[in-house]
Amino acid sequence: MLKNKMNCSALCIALMTATGVSVAQAGESGVYIGLNGGQAVARKYCDRVTTCEDTDTTVRGEVGLQFNPNWAAEMGYTSFGTLFDGQDNNVSAKQDASAWTLSAVGTIPLGASFGLFGRAGVARYNLSNSGTVQGVAVESKHAIKPYFGAGAKLDLGPDWMLRAEYQLYTDISGVNGTKDNVHAVYAGGAYRF
């Protein structure tokens, strides 16, 4: 699955290159939209569950406002897919998760077209739980928690940029009430207006 995402990213780069997009210094301010795909995992969710899956495809979309070359603000929506799908003598449950996010993004330019960035923000999690744990029905939950990210970007002209990023979503509740961090890796692009 991750191989397909990497192939898709490579195809996007090739298409943009083939259409004559040149690498140049990007605009210093303005609005942009982005779309990213990757993989999310909640590593502790499957502890002590016999048959369990804690990894799924994740997609993320965002709208950003670039204030200057170093600072931006983003609002986004993330679908984590199914973070827990477990079956054993005590558990027969599933959790689909998503989040609305708001973050500040700081960038350190390393040349005319490349940069490293970090983000800090808040996420409103929506946890859609179904099934039972020890015979008790699990409930869906909502919470607001901090999240963080770090990555690299490559400007492909004044309008397009490619990004790769690691994000950490903190303290998401599992179906049995325990909390875990969701780790996600993304590759994608953004278009500036």
Side-chain angles (χ1 to χ4, degrees):
M1 192 177 323
L2 188 56
K3 183 179 177 183
N4 289 341
K5 291 179 191 109
M6 292 173 65
N7 289 340
C8 181
S9 297
L11 178 62
C12 289
I13 293 169
L15 287 173
M16 285 185 242
T17 304
T19 58
V21 176
S22 62
V23 175
Q25 179 66 37
E28 292 188 1
S29 62
V31 175
Y32 60 90
I33 58 170
L35 184 62
N36 312 278
Q39 189 170 41
V41 60
R43 296 176 180 155
K44 296 179 186 174
Y45 276 10
C46 286
D47 287 353
R48 299 179 301 278
V49 179
T50 307
T51 304
C52 187
E53 185 66 42
D54 62 2
T55 304
D56 203 357
T57 300
T58 175
V59 292
R60 173 176 167 75
E62 65 263 339
V63 175
L65 177 59
Q66 189 79 40
F67 300 111
N68 58 49
N70 301 105
W71 293 103
E74 286 186 7
M75 183 174 67
Y77 176 80
T78 303
S79 171
F80 299 110
T82 301
L83 286 178
F84 178 86
D85 191 358
Q87 304 283 327
D88 68 9
N89 293 335
N90 296 317
V91 175
S92 177
K94 184 176 178 180
Q95 180 181 83
D96 293 325
S98 62
W100 287 98
T101 60
L102 183 63
S103 63
V105 180
T107 302
I108 300 171
L110 299 175
S113 60
F114 184 73
L116 301 177
F117 65 90
R119 80 170 65 240
V122 294
R124 184 186 187 277
Y125 303 117
N126 300 303
L127 309 175
S128 178
N129 298 329
S130 60
T132 61
V133 174
Q134 295 181 342
V136 178
V138 294
E139 296 179 359
S140 295
K141 297 182 181 180
H142 308 282
I144 296 175
K145 301 284 184 170
Y147 88 108
F148 307 94
K153 72 172 189 78
L154 176 65
D155 292 320
L156 298 176
D159 299 332
W160 292 96
M161 75 173 140
L162 295 177
R163 298 196 291 185
E165 184 175 5
Y166 165 81
Q167 291 184 352
L168 175 67
Y169 295 82
T170 62
D171 290 333
I172 296 180
S173 294
V175 294
N176 63 355
T178 61
K179 295 185 187 278
D180 193 13
N181 296 330
V182 173
H183 303 265
V185 290
Y186 294 99
Y191 177 77
R192 297 182 184 93
F193 292 95

